[in-house]
Amino acid sequence: MKYKLLVFFFCISYFMFSQKKTTYTYAIKGLDSLKLDVYTPRKIKKKERLPAILWMHAGSFSSGKRDSSDEVKLMKYVSRKGYIGISMSYRLLRKGTETGFGCDCPKADKLETFKQATIDYLDAAKFIFNHNHQLQIDLTKVIAGGSSAGAEGILNAVYLKPFFIDDLAKYTNIKFAGVLAFSGALVNAEYITKTNAIPTVLFHGSDDTAVPYGSAPHHYCSPESPGYLLLDGSHTISKKLDDLGVSYYFNKVLGGGHELHQIPFDQLDIILQFFEKTVFDSETIQTKRTIIKN
């Protein structure tokens, strides 16, 4: 009898808290077959529509995988919380290059990398928007999420489409409801306006030497170096959102470095609560959380 009860509760827990993963190809570009993994809660009802997080992984545009351990852990976590988690691959254009993505990488190459990452992200978004009925996604509640290079990709995709995209008509139906960026930056925060600003979560360390915390050169390259490119980081973005009266949650660590790009699993409940209040319930919340690194 005790054994049967254990099996029963295991089965209930399995269907309540487990996920179904399905992999799709969203684009083929040259030799790259770009895929995304969709994690759907098993308890979803037939005609139910759920919010979604479309996630872009880290890796300096040269490494990282959509199904690395942290990405899988994040996707499983959000699907247990009633979201559809989507982790995507994208073209790693700096992989195997002599100049990498630091100060030896020419500014033009950096901008082209950002542009193509923006396009890949929007193409993945277009796929899920076009297949929303099959995927059971609520298109009014799609969160753009990413870490480090992925955070740069999603911030540019959300806020700098006019800067990077030649044919905006291809993506007119793509509208994100929120942004989740760990150690990210964009090319120009002036592109954030009252019209396109949406609830945004930002995590960043003030001493990040790779992705600037405020407005500074990428990798803090000298003006004489090929890779000198000014970027606007989380501090600048939060100030812009603050001025516009748009919701944001900024978790800043004074003395923190680029390690803030790591997914803060102990903070995910707070992050999802922020989106529930600002995206689902249309509240306006502006929060700065300051931590001093020991």
Side-chain angles (χ1 to χ4, degrees), residues 78-280:
V78 298
S79 66
R80 288 198 300 271
K81 295 293 183 176
Y83 287 73
I84 292 176
I86 306 166
S87 185
M88 60 172 284
S89 296
Y90 58 98
R91 288 171 293 167
L92 304 178
L93 297 180
R94 304 311 303 167
K95 185 176 182 179
T97 60
E98 293 182 3
T99 57
F101 203 56
C103 296
D104 291 330
C105 178
K107 174 183 176 179
D109 290 355
K110 287 185 176 182
L111 287 171
E112 183 63 20
T113 300
F114 284 146
K115 176 178 181 175
Q116 297 306 322
T118 297
I119 291 171
D120 286 353
Y121 191 80
L122 290 173
D123 284 343
K126 186 176 181 181
F127 178 91
I128 68 172
F129 271 66
N130 289 345
H131 295 82
N132 69 88
H133 293 288
Q134 176 187 351
L135 301 176
Q136 295 185 254
I137 291 172
D138 182 343
L139 294 185
T140 67
K141 298 174 182 175
V142 177
I143 309 298
S147 168
S148 191
E152 292 169 333
I154 66 109
L155 284 166
N156 286 322
V158 171
Y159 289 128
L160 267 80
K161 277 192 286 186
F163 183 88
F164 283 117
I165 304 301
D166 299 322
D167 184 8
L168 287 171
K170 289 177 61 177
Y171 306 111
T172 50
N173 66 322
I174 308 296
K175 296 188 186 303
F176 297 102
V179 174
L180 173 59
F182 302 132
S183 299
L186 42 68
V187 172
N188 189 344
E190 289 304 309
Y191 277 78
I192 303 174
T193 66
K194 190 71 176 178
T195 303
N196 66 15
I198 53 179
T200 299
V201 173
L202 304 160
F203 277 58
H204 218 131
S206 65
D207 293 357
D208 191 329
T209 57
V211 181
Y213 167 80
S215 296
H218 183 235
H219 281 269
Y220 290 86
C221 301
S222 69
E224 298 78 23
S225 65
Y228 181 76
L229 172 65
L230 290 173
L231 296 180
D232 290 333
S234 300
H235 181 64
T236 303
I237 295 168
S238 70
K239 285 173 62 179
K240 184 70 175 179
L241 295 171
D242 194 78
D243 292 342
L244 293 171
V246 176
S247 293
Y248 67 88
Y249 178 87
F250 182 24
N251 186 102
K252 55 182 178 179
V253 178
L254 300 182
H258 195 57
E259 72 276 1
L260 267 292
H261 82 279
Q262 296 168 355
I263 300 168
F265 290 99
D266 61 337
Q267 299 286 318
L268 291 182
D269 280 347
I270 294 172
I271 291 168
L272 294 184
Q273 286 168 13
F274 170 84
F275 286 128
E276 287 164 12
K277 291 178 180 178
T278 59
V279 174
F280 304 171

